[in-house]
Amino acid sequence: GNSVTQMEGPVTLSEEAFLTINCTYTATGYPSLFWYVQYPGEGLQLLLKATKADDKGSNKGFEATYRKETTSFHLEKGSVQVSDSAVYFCALLRNTGNQFYFGTGTSLTVIP
Amino acid sequence: DVKVTQSSRYLVKRTGEKVFLECVQDMDHENMFWYRQDPGLGLRLIYFSYDVKMKEKGDIPEGYSVSREKKERFSLILESASTNQTSMYLCASSYVGGRGEAFFGQGTRLTVV
């Protein structure tokens, strides 16, 4: 089947710390992979995506690389800010399907 | 700017009421989705639709139905609201069968009392 597993939260970091949120997936074929961010009280917004192996998605200082050999898509940021406090969701979309599969979300709090 | 708009940000309904949640997208997307979001459970798919009048059950369809009479509009219906349907409901849309991302509405926080 298709599924996404991401690290449990909550995660609390000090401003300017390095962030990693782990995400691994199970899928048939070659899915597209996404990171979404949800700020308090809002819907989900696309943060970055990658559509094939070894692609790197990046946006707002966040990066994630599509690793087919380890079926992973870990989210990283070199220096987090208070404004990065949000819930982060990893997701996949099969290339033959229309349905998205989401991880359970990781809550990040950045303290000054 | 592309948009998915949900009709209400907050709703309070009584047990047993019939509840309609409306979602409209302006991107001419074929696919539309309804998710429910609860703490610790992430997003769970209730129903999705890949075309007008077409629908498929997701992971948790019990107690819900949907309607898609026009391409841009996808409605979620709680036939008889119960307290265990208190949740955040998220609508999303996407192009069919491709690499494209899903676009989300702002969410509706439903409380059933």
Side-chain angles (χ1 to χ4, degrees), chain A residues 30-32 34 36 38 41-44 46 49 51 89 93-95 97-100 102-104, chain B residues 9 31 33 35 37 40-43 45 48 50 90 94 96-102 104-106:
Chain A
Y30 302 94
S32 294
F34 307 87
Y36 282 85
Q38 185 181 34
E42 298 185 11
L44 276 67
L46 180 69
K49 66 179 181 181
T51 58
F89 291 90
L93 172 66
R94 286 193 305 140
N95 62 345
N98 297 308
Q99 190 170 341
F100 292 82
F102 287 87
T104 52
Chain B
R9 290 294 299 267
N31 294 334
F33 308 85
Y35 292 92
Q37 184 180 14
L41 298 177
L43 274 68
L45 181 65
F48 78 97
Y50 51 90
L90 293 168
S94 73
V96 69
R99 306 276 171 188
E101 65 266 32
F104 281 82
Q106 77 276 28

Side-chain angles (χ1 to χ4, degrees), chain B residues 53-107:
Chain B
K53 298 190 187 296
M54 306 303 289
K55 61 186 179 185
E56 286 200 19
K57 293 180 180 179
D59 301 316
I60 52 164
E62 297 78 18
Y64 303 93
S65 62
V66 290
S67 172
R68 191 157 179 212
E69 297 296 320
K70 293 185 177 181
K71 189 176 186 180
E72 67 271 19
R73 185 180 296 270
F74 192 37
S75 303
L76 179 69
I77 304 155
L78 286 66
E79 298 290 344
S80 177
S82 63
T83 55
N84 63 12
Q85 292 178 309
T86 291
S87 187
M88 169 73 97
Y89 290 87
L90 293 168
C91 176
S93 69
S94 73
Y95 287 113
V96 69
R99 306 276 171 188
E101 65 266 32
F103 292 83
F104 281 82
Q106 77 276 28

Side-chain angles (χ1 to χ4, degrees), chain A residues 25-36:
Chain A
Y25 67 90
T26 302
T28 52
Y30 302 94
S32 294
L33 301 173
F34 307 87
W35 276 101
Y36 282 85

Side-chain angles (χ1 to χ4, degrees), chain A residues 8-70:
Chain A
E8 297 276 340
V11 174
T12 302
L13 294 173
S14 297
E15 204 165 23
E16 299 183 3
F18 185 85
L19 168 71
T20 301
I21 302 178
N22 290 337
C23 172
T24 57
Y25 67 90
T26 302
T28 52
Y30 302 94
S32 294
L33 301 173
F34 307 87
W35 276 101
Y36 282 85
V37 59
Q38 185 181 34
Y39 298 105
E42 298 185 11
L44 276 67
Q45 303 174 25
L46 180 69
L47 182 59
L48 53 84
K49 66 179 181 181
T51 58
K52 60 183 188 297
D54 300 324
D55 267 3
K56 179 186 281 188
S58 61
N59 186 26
K60 299 181 181 179
F62 290 89
E63 292 183 341
T65 301
Y66 189 146
R67 302 281 188 205
K68 184 169 178 291
E69 63 277 12
T70 55

